[in-house]
Amino acid sequence: MAGSSEFSGRPPLFATEKPARVVAHAYRLFASTIFAGLLLIWVYRATHLPPRSSGARWWGWLGLSAAELWFGFYWVLTLSVRWSPVYRRAFPDRLTRRYKEEELPGVDIFVCTADPTLEPPMLVISTVLSVMAYDYPPEKLNIYLSDDAGSVTTLYALYEASEFAKHWIPFCKKYEVEPRSPAAYFVRADSPPDPCDPKEWCALKEMHKDLIDRVNSVVNSGKIPKTPKCKVRGFTQWNEDTSYTDHPSIVQILIDGNKRKAADINGNALPTLVYMAREKRLQEHHHFKAGSLNALIRVSSVISNSPIIMNVDCDMYSNNSGSIRDALCFFLDEEQGQDIAFVQYPQNFENVAHDDIYGNPINTVNELDHPCLDGWGGMCYYGTGCFHRREALCGQIYSQDYKEDWTRVVRKTEEVDELERMARSLATCTYEHNTLWGIEKGVRYGCPLEDVITGLQIQCRGWKSVYYNPARKGFLGMAPTSLGQILVQHKRWTEGFLQISLSKYSPFLLGHKKIKLGLQMGYSVCGFWALNSFPTLYYVTIPSLFFLNGISLFPEMTSPWFVPFAYIVVAAYFCSLVESLQCGDTAVEWSNAQRMWLFRRISSYLLAAIDTLRRMLGISETGFALTAKVTDSETLDRYKKGMMEFGSFSLMFVIIATVALLNLACMVFGVARVLLHEGATGLGALFLQAVLCVLVVAINFPVYEGLFLRKDSGRLPASVSLVSFCIVLPLCILPTNMQT
């Protein structure tokens, strides 16, 4: 790598560590036994195929065989990800000793919001304030808020945040406050913690409360006070014809950190703070979040043009003031950092209840799966909490002689008015016409998961990425607290991943001979989420229906072929439980995660597969569903009590309730039939089907609770119950006429 001999005597700024060999060998031995079990199951299905004359049993057998072949193939994909994990460790103290503050690169931070109702302004500015207060030279820090709704109340909230920052930032740095989101900080601290001065702490808390009151008052009334209008020219851009979907480009530099025209209460410089609402017109496609990020890249290029870009969702505040310096350890390492395009932090959530019923804790993913992707040289870009090298994000191809010039940025000399004028011209809705933006430059267009495609293309240009998961989490966000929100979110993700897999951006096509095969397979684990829906739905319905009618699809308990089936189930689930516990989950959280795994596969994944097919046939167009970041108090109370939130009619709820009712009916009447006609010994040939049916029933307990026991507004509506019952009744009757 370029520069390796020149800097070989310096200690590295980061370390890459692998698990102990004994651990790796143990896992590979375990994986080998699972694979052997899969082979035995496939052999059993092939050698014990029932005759065509057996009718329903023959077709049921073929279906299970296909499902088990798919499960085996998918397990091999997941195994490829787990094969070679790496863990990163940054040394920011070495960075401090090696680089003076004035030698550190500038950092542009992008915060995106799209709807002031689903993403309230106070939520947005709490995130903005948290990144303004990073432990980093303020003259090197530039924060940009993209308001895709073009909401005047969001600009007002940002103006208020710029005033509050004059007090908040020096307070944070004086007392080394963590986290640096004022909303999160004051919620956690009921009284002044050491070493804060009580009077100063109480005064700032009261100031923050006044900030909340002022912003919420404007949000509720929609009227901006006169004082901000006089100070901020941007407010004159709005008129009675301005709407969320039709408005001009607006760029307002609220704090000009470049010329130090604004300072905090101690006279120190403040970071640059910029508001941007790109132009939107009804006749122009705006490309959702990807279009917003590309507009930010261009606007920032004329205001600050920092070589490092970080983007974060508006609901995911900074929880670690040292995150920038940690990320720079990877970029600035002279021997190992030249080919690193982006550093991805994991997503973590602050609002997750103990024993969360929705499986929101993703500790296993963060602690195991992502380090394994990193081991193949390519952690995915997940759209938030990510630090990018600007040149790589803008289409630069990596070459062996590439070397970043961190001092290349020239401070802008233009006046604010001129900078804003130039920036507005780069945020028009027609600027990208006949350009490579969204194709070769910036964030990619044409897919709900624009971030994943962007990261993959960057890696195919020769760059690498890094996954960094520090002990103190870099960012904390808001997890959905209702089943509907979660399923809709996963449906959008699944559609995006499937579209990638079926397009020219498929990891196996785009990444052929450009990235490692293991990384291609790792991307495909998510890419084939949707295809898991069909075998999973088959497996949780057909065996149960056949159990109801006494038709065996699995080996008897006394058969040697029973062993691989039992071993696969027990070993796989035991391993999953152990991994989950090691990563910090509770047994209850693991159990809840298994339930959500089933719910997502039979609802979100299924509808994502169907909608993707419809889109490919031209029946529907790509859309974007924004996940709500606010939850009413009753829903939140039920969530904290571990009650699953349904509440409204949804096709996904119908599917889940139908599977639950079907298995309940099959379990009750199937067991009754066996005991009445054959006795307990009759369960021998149907034992695995009985166990599967019972497990599905146990998993669906919250569904039965929502159907039959609960009276609150979060229960399953009667319309869902009625539709599900009308589907289940003929399914339970029909197979009796199919027996031979």
Side-chain angles (χ1 to χ4, degrees), residues 168 171 177-179 181-194 196 201-202 205:
W168 176 245
F171 175 80
V177 165
E178 295 286 7
S181 159
Y185 174 74
F186 287 119
V187 163
R188 296 183 188 182
D190 295 330
S191 58
D194 292 332
C196 291
W201 184 89
C202 291
K205 183 175 183 180

mmCIF file with all atom_site columns, all heavy atoms in Angstrom, residues 168 171 177-179 181-194 196 201-202 205:
data_model
loop_
_atom_site.group_PDB
_atom_site.id
_atom_site.type_symbol
_atom_site.label_atom_id
_atom_site.label_alt_id
_atom_site.label_comp_id
_atom_site.label_asym_id
_atom_site.label_entity_id
_atom_site.label_seq_id
_atom_site.pdbx_PDB_ins_code
_atom_site.Cartn_x
_atom_site.Cartn_y
_atom_site.Cartn_z
_atom_site.occupancy
_atom_site.B_iso_or_equiv
_atom_site.pdbx_formal_charge
_atom_site.auth_seq_id
_atom_site.auth_comp_id
_atom_site.auth_asym_id
_atom_site.auth_atom_id
_atom_site.pdbx_PDB_model_num
ATOM 1   N N   . TRP A 1 168 ? -25.107 25.507 25.232 1.00 0.00 ? 168 TRP A N   1
ATOM 2   C CA  . TRP A 1 168 ? -25.013 24.055 25.383 1.00 0.00 ? 168 TRP A CA  1
ATOM 3   C C   . TRP A 1 168 ? -23.610 23.520 25.079 1.00 0.00 ? 168 TRP A C   1
ATOM 4   O O   . TRP A 1 168 ? -23.075 22.696 25.825 1.00 0.00 ? 168 TRP A O   1
ATOM 5   C CB  . TRP A 1 168 ? -26.042 23.396 24.477 1.00 0.00 ? 168 TRP A CB  1
ATOM 6   C CG  . TRP A 1 168 ? -25.987 21.886 24.460 1.00 0.00 ? 168 TRP A CG  1
ATOM 7   C CD1 . TRP A 1 168 ? -25.659 21.092 23.405 1.00 0.00 ? 168 TRP A CD1 1
ATOM 8   C CD2 . TRP A 1 168 ? -26.272 21.006 25.546 1.00 0.00 ? 168 TRP A CD2 1
ATOM 9   N NE1 . TRP A 1 168 ? -25.718 19.765 23.760 1.00 0.00 ? 168 TRP A NE1 1
ATOM 10  C CE2 . TRP A 1 168 ? -26.090 19.688 25.070 1.00 0.00 ? 168 TRP A CE2 1
ATOM 11  C CE3 . TRP A 1 168 ? -26.652 21.207 26.873 1.00 0.00 ? 168 TRP A CE3 1
ATOM 12  C CZ2 . TRP A 1 168 ? -26.291 18.579 25.885 1.00 0.00 ? 168 TRP A CZ2 1
ATOM 13  C CZ3 . TRP A 1 168 ? -26.853 20.092 27.684 1.00 0.00 ? 168 TRP A CZ3 1
ATOM 14  C CH2 . TRP A 1 168 ? -26.664 18.796 27.189 1.00 0.00 ? 168 TRP A CH2 1
ATOM 15  N N   . PHE A 1 171 ? -21.031 24.192 27.818 1.00 0.00 ? 171 PHE A N   1
ATOM 16  C CA  . PHE A 1 171 ? -21.391 23.391 28.988 1.00 0.00 ? 171 PHE A CA  1
ATOM 17  C C   . PHE A 1 171 ? -20.935 21.944 28.799 1.00 0.00 ? 171 PHE A C   1
ATOM 18  O O   . PHE A 1 171 ? -20.355 21.336 29.708 1.00 0.00 ? 171 PHE A O   1
ATOM 19  C CB  . PHE A 1 171 ? -22.902 23.462 29.201 1.00 0.00 ? 171 PHE A CB  1
ATOM 20  C CG  . PHE A 1 171 ? -23.407 22.578 30.302 1.00 0.00 ? 171 PHE A CG  1
ATOM 21  C CD1 . PHE A 1 171 ? -23.303 22.953 31.635 1.00 0.00 ? 171 PHE A CD1 1
ATOM 22  C CD2 . PHE A 1 171 ? -23.989 21.343 30.009 1.00 0.00 ? 171 PHE A CD2 1
ATOM 23  C CE1 . PHE A 1 171 ? -23.768 22.128 32.653 1.00 0.00 ? 171 PHE A CE1 1
ATOM 24  C CE2 . PHE A 1 171 ? -24.459 20.518 31.009 1.00 0.00 ? 171 PHE A CE2 1
ATOM 25  C CZ  . PHE A 1 171 ? -24.346 20.912 32.336 1.00 0.00 ? 171 PHE A CZ  1
ATOM 26  N N   . VAL A 1 177 ? -19.812 16.283 29.098 1.00 0.00 ? 177 VAL A N   1
ATOM 27  C CA  . VAL A 1 177 ? -21.161 15.711 29.149 1.00 0.00 ? 177 VAL A CA  1
ATOM 28  C C   . VAL A 1 177 ? -21.303 14.571 28.143 1.00 0.00 ? 177 VAL A C   1
ATOM 29  O O   . VAL A 1 177 ? -20.794 14.636 27.032 1.00 0.00 ? 177 VAL A O   1
ATOM 30  C CB  . VAL A 1 177 ? -22.207 16.812 28.851 1.00 0.00 ? 177 VAL A CB  1
ATOM 31  C CG1 . VAL A 1 177 ? -23.563 16.212 28.529 1.00 0.00 ? 177 VAL A CG1 1
ATOM 32  C CG2 . VAL A 1 177 ? -22.300 17.769 30.023 1.00 0.00 ? 177 VAL A CG2 1
ATOM 33  N N   . GLU A 1 178 ? -21.970 13.518 28.542 1.00 0.00 ? 178 GLU A N   1
ATOM 34  C CA  . GLU A 1 178 ? -22.380 12.426 27.657 1.00 0.00 ? 178 GLU A CA  1
ATOM 35  C C   . GLU A 1 178 ? -23.757 11.954 28.103 1.00 0.00 ? 178 GLU A C   1
ATOM 36  O O   . GLU A 1 178 ? -23.978 11.757 29.299 1.00 0.00 ? 178 GLU A O   1
ATOM 37  C CB  . GLU A 1 178 ? -21.402 11.247 27.713 1.00 0.00 ? 178 GLU A CB  1
ATOM 38  C CG  . GLU A 1 178 ? -20.006 11.528 27.192 1.00 0.00 ? 178 GLU A CG  1
ATOM 39  C CD  . GLU A 1 178 ? -19.921 11.625 25.669 1.00 0.00 ? 178 GLU A CD  1
ATOM 40  O OE1 . GLU A 1 178 ? -20.978 11.598 25.013 1.00 0.00 ? 178 GLU A OE1 1
ATOM 41  O OE2 . GLU A 1 178 ? -18.799 11.752 25.165 1.00 0.00 ? 178 GLU A OE2 1
ATOM 42  N N   . PRO A 1 179 ? -24.690 11.756 27.178 1.00 0.00 ? 179 PRO A N   1
ATOM 43  C CA  . PRO A 1 179 ? -24.637 12.101 25.753 1.00 0.00 ? 179 PRO A CA  1
ATOM 44  C C   . PRO A 1 179 ? -24.843 13.593 25.559 1.00 0.00 ? 179 PRO A C   1
ATOM 45  O O   . PRO A 1 179 ? -25.262 14.295 26.489 1.00 0.00 ? 179 PRO A O   1
ATOM 46  C CB  . PRO A 1 179 ? -25.804 11.301 25.180 1.00 0.00 ? 179 PRO A CB  1
ATOM 47  C CG  . PRO A 1 179 ? -26.801 11.273 26.286 1.00 0.00 ? 179 PRO A CG  1
ATOM 48  C CD  . PRO A 1 179 ? -25.998 11.160 27.551 1.00 0.00 ? 179 PRO A CD  1
ATOM 49  N N   . SER A 1 181 ? -26.883 15.072 23.395 1.00 0.00 ? 181 SER A N   1
ATOM 50  C CA  . SER A 1 181 ? -28.241 15.476 23.031 1.00 0.00 ? 181 SER A CA  1
ATOM 51  C C   . SER A 1 181 ? -28.884 16.017 24.304 1.00 0.00 ? 181 SER A C   1
ATOM 52  O O   . SER A 1 181 ? -29.005 15.290 25.294 1.00 0.00 ? 181 SER A O   1
ATOM 53  C CB  . SER A 1 181 ? -29.046 14.284 22.515 1.00 0.00 ? 181 SER A CB  1
ATOM 54  O OG  . SER A 1 181 ? -30.432 14.530 22.625 1.00 0.00 ? 181 SER A OG  1
ATOM 55  N N   . PRO A 1 182 ? -29.292 17.290 24.340 1.00 0.00 ? 182 PRO A N   1
ATOM 56  C CA  . PRO A 1 182 ? -29.857 17.823 25.586 1.00 0.00 ? 182 PRO A CA  1
ATOM 57  C C   . PRO A 1 182 ? -31.097 17.080 26.046 1.00 0.00 ? 182 PRO A C   1
ATOM 58  O O   . PRO A 1 182 ? -31.296 16.889 27.247 1.00 0.00 ? 182 PRO A O   1
ATOM 59  C CB  . PRO A 1 182 ? -30.154 19.280 25.234 1.00 0.00 ? 182 PRO A CB  1
ATOM 60  C CG  . PRO A 1 182 ? -30.198 19.329 23.744 1.00 0.00 ? 182 PRO A CG  1
ATOM 61  C CD  . PRO A 1 182 ? -29.256 18.276 23.270 1.00 0.00 ? 182 PRO A CD  1
ATOM 62  N N   . ALA A 1 183 ? -31.938 16.647 25.092 1.00 0.00 ? 183 ALA A N   1
ATOM 63  C CA  . ALA A 1 183 ? -33.146 15.918 25.479 1.00 0.00 ? 183 ALA A CA  1
ATOM 64  C C   . ALA A 1 183 ? -32.784 14.629 26.198 1.00 0.00 ? 183 ALA A C   1
ATOM 65  O O   . ALA A 1 183 ? -33.341 14.312 27.261 1.00 0.00 ? 183 ALA A O   1
ATOM 66  C CB  . ALA A 1 183 ? -33.993 15.622 24.240 1.00 0.00 ? 183 ALA A CB  1
ATOM 67  N N   . ALA A 1 184 ? -31.844 13.867 25.641 1.00 0.00 ? 184 ALA A N   1
ATOM 68  C CA  . ALA A 1 184 ? -31.439 12.603 26.262 1.00 0.00 ? 184 ALA A CA  1
ATOM 69  C C   . ALA A 1 184 ? -30.705 12.847 27.570 1.00 0.00 ? 184 ALA A C   1
ATOM 70  O O   . ALA A 1 184 ? -30.888 12.111 28.548 1.00 0.00 ? 184 ALA A O   1
ATOM 71  C CB  . ALA A 1 184 ? -30.550 11.818 25.297 1.00 0.00 ? 184 ALA A CB  1
ATOM 72  N N   . TYR A 1 185 ? -29.881 13.887 27.619 1.00 0.00 ? 185 TYR A N   1
ATOM 73  C CA  . TYR A 1 185 ? -29.085 14.166 28.825 1.00 0.00 ? 185 TYR A CA  1
ATOM 74  C C   . TYR A 1 185 ? -29.980 14.535 30.004 1.00 0.00 ? 185 TYR A C   1
ATOM 75  O O   . TYR A 1 185 ? -29.826 13.994 31.106 1.00 0.00 ? 185 TYR A O   1
ATOM 76  C CB  . TYR A 1 185 ? -28.096 15.296 28.534 1.00 0.00 ? 185 TYR A CB  1
ATOM 77  C CG  . TYR A 1 185 ? -27.322 15.755 29.747 1.00 0.00 ? 185 TYR A CG  1
ATOM 78  C CD1 . TYR A 1 185 ? -26.300 14.970 30.285 1.00 0.00 ? 185 TYR A CD1 1
ATOM 79  C CD2 . TYR A 1 185 ? -27.612 16.966 30.369 1.00 0.00 ? 185 TYR A CD2 1
ATOM 80  C CE1 . TYR A 1 185 ? -25.591 15.385 31.397 1.00 0.00 ? 185 TYR A CE1 1
ATOM 81  C CE2 . TYR A 1 185 ? -26.902 17.393 31.483 1.00 0.00 ? 185 TYR A CE2 1
ATOM 82  C CZ  . TYR A 1 185 ? -25.896 16.603 31.992 1.00 0.00 ? 185 TYR A CZ  1
ATOM 83  O OH  . TYR A 1 185 ? -25.198 17.008 33.103 1.00 0.00 ? 185 TYR A OH  1
ATOM 84  N N   . PHE A 1 186 ? -30.916 15.441 29.799 1.00 0.00 ? 186 PHE A N   1
ATOM 85  C CA  . PHE A 1 186 ? -31.743 15.893 30.918 1.00 0.00 ? 186 PHE A CA  1
ATOM 86  C C   . PHE A 1 186 ? -32.781 14.858 31.330 1.00 0.00 ? 186 PHE A C   1
ATOM 87  O O   . PHE A 1 186 ? -33.242 14.860 32.472 1.00 0.00 ? 186 PHE A O   1
ATOM 88  C CB  . PHE A 1 186 ? -32.406 17.224 30.574 1.00 0.00 ? 186 PHE A CB  1
ATOM 89  C CG  . PHE A 1 186 ? -31.458 18.387 30.583 1.00 0.00 ? 186 PHE A CG  1
ATOM 90  C CD1 . PHE A 1 186 ? -31.227 19.132 29.435 1.00 0.00 ? 186 PHE A CD1 1
ATOM 91  C CD2 . PHE A 1 186 ? -30.772 18.727 31.739 1.00 0.00 ? 186 PHE A CD2 1
ATOM 92  C CE1 . PHE A 1 186 ? -30.338 20.201 29.443 1.00 0.00 ? 186 PHE A CE1 1
ATOM 93  C CE2 . PHE A 1 186 ? -29.877 19.797 31.769 1.00 0.00 ? 186 PHE A CE2 1
ATOM 94  C CZ  . PHE A 1 186 ? -29.657 20.533 30.610 1.00 0.00 ? 186 PHE A CZ  1
ATOM 95  N N   . VAL A 1 187 ? -33.172 13.980 30.422 1.00 0.00 ? 187 VAL A N   1
ATOM 96  C CA  . VAL A 1 187 ? -34.088 12.896 30.800 1.00 0.00 ? 187 VAL A CA  1
ATOM 97  C C   . VAL A 1 187 ? -33.390 11.918 31.740 1.00 0.00 ? 187 VAL A C   1
ATOM 98  O O   . VAL A 1 187 ? -33.972 11.419 32.699 1.00 0.00 ? 187 VAL A O   1
ATOM 99  C CB  . VAL A 1 187 ? -34.606 12.165 29.545 1.00 0.00 ? 187 VAL A CB  1
ATOM 100 C CG1 . VAL A 1 187 ? -35.192 10.808 29.907 1.00 0.00 ? 187 VAL A CG1 1
ATOM 101 C CG2 . VAL A 1 187 ? -35.658 13.006 28.841 1.00 0.00 ? 187 VAL A CG2 1
ATOM 102 N N   . ARG A 1 188 ? -32.101 11.667 31.478 1.00 0.00 ? 188 ARG A N   1
ATOM 103 C CA  . ARG A 1 188 ? -31.362 10.691 32.285 1.00 0.00 ? 188 ARG A CA  1
ATOM 104 C C   . ARG A 1 188 ? -30.932 11.248 33.633 1.00 0.00 ? 188 ARG A C   1
ATOM 105 O O   . ARG A 1 188 ? -30.718 10.484 34.579 1.00 0.00 ? 188 ARG A O   1
ATOM 106 C CB  . ARG A 1 188 ? -30.117 10.228 31.515 1.00 0.00 ? 188 ARG A CB  1
ATOM 107 C CG  . ARG A 1 188 ? -30.431 9.482  30.227 1.00 0.00 ? 188 ARG A CG  1
ATOM 108 C CD  . ARG A 1 188 ? -29.157 9.005  29.564 1.00 0.00 ? 188 ARG A CD  1
ATOM 109 N NE  . ARG A 1 188 ? -29.414 8.450  28.238 1.00 0.00 ? 188 ARG A NE  1
ATOM 110 C CZ  . ARG A 1 188 ? -28.484 7.927  27.464 1.00 0.00 ? 188 ARG A CZ  1
ATOM 111 N NH1 . ARG A 1 188 ? -27.221 7.889  27.874 1.00 0.00 ? 188 ARG A NH1 1
ATOM 112 N NH2 . ARG A 1 188 ? -28.792 7.452  26.271 1.00 0.00 ? 188 ARG A NH2 1
ATOM 113 N N   . ALA A 1 189 ? -30.750 12.558 33.731 1.00 0.00 ? 189 ALA A N   1
ATOM 114 C CA  . ALA A 1 189 ? -30.222 13.158 34.964 1.00 0.00 ? 189 ALA A CA  1
ATOM 115 C C   . ALA A 1 189 ? -31.323 13.944 35.671 1.00 0.00 ? 189 ALA A C   1
ATOM 116 O O   . ALA A 1 189 ? -31.735 15.007 35.208 1.00 0.00 ? 189 ALA A O   1
ATOM 117 C CB  . ALA A 1 189 ? -29.044 14.062 34.639 1.00 0.00 ? 189 ALA A CB  1
ATOM 118 N N   . ASP A 1 190 ? -31.804 13.433 36.800 1.00 0.00 ? 190 ASP A N   1
ATOM 119 C CA  . ASP A 1 190 ? -32.829 14.129 37.574 1.00 0.00 ? 190 ASP A CA  1
ATOM 120 C C   . ASP A 1 190 ? -32.239 15.258 38.421 1.00 0.00 ? 190 ASP A C   1
ATOM 121 O O   . ASP A 1 190 ? -32.941 16.185 38.809 1.00 0.00 ? 190 ASP A O   1
ATOM 122 C CB  . ASP A 1 190 ? -33.561 13.142 38.500 1.00 0.00 ? 190 ASP A CB  1
ATOM 123 C CG  . ASP A 1 190 ? -34.340 12.111 37.706 1.00 0.00 ? 190 ASP A CG  1
ATOM 124 O OD1 . ASP A 1 190 ? -34.793 12.452 36.593 1.00 0.00 ? 190 ASP A OD1 1
ATOM 125 O OD2 . ASP A 1 190 ? -34.471 10.967 38.186 1.00 0.00 ? 190 ASP A OD2 1
ATOM 126 N N   . SER A 1 191 ? -30.963 15.146 38.716 1.00 0.00 ? 191 SER A N   1
ATOM 127 C CA  . SER A 1 191 ? -30.277 16.153 39.522 1.00 0.00 ? 191 SER A CA  1
ATOM 128 C C   . SER A 1 191 ? -28.882 16.360 38.949 1.00 0.00 ? 191 SER A C   1
ATOM 129 O O   . SER A 1 191 ? -28.384 15.514 38.199 1.00 0.00 ? 191 SER A O   1
ATOM 130 C CB  . SER A 1 191 ? -30.191 15.698 40.985 1.00 0.00 ? 191 SER A CB  1
ATOM 131 O OG  . SER A 1 191 ? -29.507 14.455 41.076 1.00 0.00 ? 191 SER A OG  1
ATOM 132 N N   . PRO A 1 192 ? -28.240 17.476 39.296 1.00 0.00 ? 192 PRO A N   1
ATOM 133 C CA  . PRO A 1 192 ? -26.917 17.769 38.725 1.00 0.00 ? 192 PRO A CA  1
ATOM 134 C C   . PRO A 1 192 ? -25.886 16.700 39.080 1.00 0.00 ? 192 PRO A C   1
ATOM 135 O O   . PRO A 1 192 ? -25.622 16.471 40.265 1.00 0.00 ? 192 PRO A O   1
ATOM 136 C CB  . PRO A 1 192 ? -26.546 19.114 39.359 1.00 0.00 ? 192 PRO A CB  1
ATOM 137 C CG  . PRO A 1 192 ? -27.841 19.704 39.789 1.00 0.00 ? 192 PRO A CG  1
ATOM 138 C CD  . PRO A 1 192 ? -28.718 18.562 40.157 1.00 0.00 ? 192 PRO A CD  1
ATOM 139 N N   . PRO A 1 193 ? -25.326 16.029 38.097 1.00 0.00 ? 193 PRO A N   1
ATOM 140 C CA  . PRO A 1 193 ? -24.297 15.030 38.385 1.00 0.00 ? 193 PRO A CA  1
ATOM 141 C C   . PRO A 1 193 ? -22.957 15.714 38.635 1.00 0.00 ? 193 PRO A C   1
ATOM 142 O O   . PRO A 1 193 ? -22.724 16.843 38.209 1.00 0.00 ? 193 PRO A O   1
ATOM 143 C CB  . PRO A 1 193 ? -24.252 14.193 37.103 1.00 0.00 ? 193 PRO A CB  1
ATOM 144 C CG  . PRO A 1 193 ? -24.657 15.158 36.024 1.00 0.00 ? 193 PRO A CG  1
ATOM 145 C CD  . PRO A 1 193 ? -25.632 16.110 36.656 1.00 0.00 ? 193 PRO A CD  1
ATOM 146 N N   . ASP A 1 194 ? -22.084 15.036 39.332 1.00 0.00 ? 194 ASP A N   1
ATOM 147 C CA  . ASP A 1 194 ? -20.724 15.561 39.522 1.00 0.00 ? 194 ASP A CA  1
ATOM 148 C C   . ASP A 1 194 ? -20.017 15.572 38.183 1.00 0.00 ? 194 ASP A C   1
ATOM 149 O O   . ASP A 1 194 ? -20.180 14.635 37.385 1.00 0.00 ? 194 ASP A O   1
ATOM 150 C CB  . ASP A 1 194 ? -19.954 14.688 40.527 1.00 0.00 ? 194 ASP A CB  1
ATOM 151 C CG  . ASP A 1 194 ? -20.521 14.800 41.939 1.00 0.00 ? 194 ASP A CG  1
ATOM 152 O OD1 . ASP A 1 194 ? -21.094 15.863 42.246 1.00 0.00 ? 194 ASP A OD1 1
ATOM 153 O OD2 . ASP A 1 194 ? -20.391 13.831 42.706 1.00 0.00 ? 194 ASP A OD2 1
ATOM 154 N N   . CYS A 1 196 ? -20.812 18.868 37.775 1.00 0.00 ? 196 CYS A N   1
ATOM 155 C CA  . CYS A 1 196 ? -21.550 20.039 37.318 1.00 0.00 ? 196 CYS A CA  1
ATOM 156 C C   . CYS A 1 196 ? -21.883 20.982 38.465 1.00 0.00 ? 196 CYS A C   1
ATOM 157 O O   . CYS A 1 196 ? -22.235 20.546 39.577 1.00 0.00 ? 196 CYS A O   1
ATOM 158 C CB  . CYS A 1 196 ? -22.844 19.605 36.632 1.00 0.00 ? 196 CYS A CB  1
ATOM 159 S SG  . CYS A 1 196 ? -22.588 18.782 35.054 1.00 0.00 ? 196 CYS A SG  1
ATOM 160 N N   . TRP A 1 201 ? -26.255 24.011 36.015 1.00 0.00 ? 201 TRP A N   1
ATOM 161 C CA  . TRP A 1 201 ? -27.015 22.874 35.478 1.00 0.00 ? 201 TRP A CA  1
ATOM 162 C C   . TRP A 1 201 ? -28.509 23.187 35.454 1.00 0.00 ? 201 TRP A C   1
ATOM 163 O O   . TRP A 1 201 ? -29.189 22.965 34.451 1.00 0.00 ? 201 TRP A O   1
ATOM 164 C CB  . TRP A 1 201 ? -26.736 21.630 36.324 1.00 0.00 ? 201 TRP A CB  1
ATOM 165 C CG  . TRP A 1 201 ? -27.372 20.374 35.824 1.00 0.00 ? 201 TRP A CG  1
ATOM 166 C CD1 . TRP A 1 201 ? -26.852 19.479 34.948 1.00 0.00 ? 201 TRP A CD1 1
ATOM 167 C CD2 . TRP A 1 201 ? -28.661 19.861 36.193 1.00 0.00 ? 201 TRP A CD2 1
ATOM 168 N NE1 . TRP A 1 201 ? -27.729 18.444 34.737 1.00 0.00 ? 201 TRP A NE1 1
ATOM 169 C CE2 . TRP A 1 201 ? -28.850 18.649 35.489 1.00 0.00 ? 201 TRP A CE2 1
ATOM 170 C CE3 . TRP A 1 201 ? -29.664 20.308 37.045 1.00 0.00 ? 201 TRP A CE3 1
ATOM 171 C CZ2 . TRP A 1 201 ? -30.001 17.886 35.612 1.00 0.00 ? 201 TRP A CZ2 1
ATOM 172 C CZ3 . TRP A 1 201 ? -30.827 19.553 37.163 1.00 0.00 ? 201 TRP A CZ3 1
ATOM 173 C CH2 . TRP A 1 201 ? -30.983 18.344 36.456 1.00 0.00 ? 201 TRP A CH2 1
ATOM 174 N N   . CYS A 1 202 ? -29.019 23.702 36.563 1.00 0.00 ? 202 CYS A N   1
ATOM 175 C CA  . CYS A 1 202 ? -30.450 24.010 36.652 1.00 0.00 ? 202 CYS A CA  1
ATOM 176 C C   . CYS A 1 202 ? -30.850 25.115 35.674 1.00 0.00 ? 202 CYS A C   1
ATOM 177 O O   . CYS A 1 202 ? -31.922 25.068 35.058 1.00 0.00 ? 202 CYS A O   1
ATOM 178 C CB  . CYS A 1 202 ? -30.810 24.419 38.077 1.00 0.00 ? 202 CYS A CB  1
ATOM 179 S SG  . CYS A 1 202 ? -30.727 23.064 39.277 1.00 0.00 ? 202 CYS A SG  1
ATOM 180 N N   . LYS A 1 205 ? -30.973 23.591 32.221 1.00 0.00 ? 205 LYS A N   1
ATOM 181 C CA  . LYS A 1 205 ? -32.143 22.727 32.084 1.00 0.00 ? 205 LYS A CA  1
ATOM 182 C C   . LYS A 1 205 ? -33.404 23.559 31.869 1.00 0.00 ? 205 LYS A C   1
ATOM 183 O O   . LYS A 1 205 ? -34.268 23.214 31.043 1.00 0.00 ? 205 LYS A O   1
ATOM 184 C CB  . LYS A 1 205 ? -32.292 21.840 33.321 1.00 0.00 ? 205 LYS A CB  1
ATOM 185 C CG  . LYS A 1 205 ? -33.449 20.852 33.208 1.00 0.00 ? 205 LYS A CG  1
ATOM 186 C CD  . LYS A 1 205 ? -33.518 19.905 34.393 1.00 0.00 ? 205 LYS A CD  1
ATOM 187 C CE  . LYS A 1 205 ? -34.645 18.887 34.205 1.00 0.00 ? 205 LYS A CE  1
ATOM 188 N NZ  . LYS A 1 205 ? -34.729 17.939 35.353 1.00 0.00 ? 205 LYS A NZ  1
#
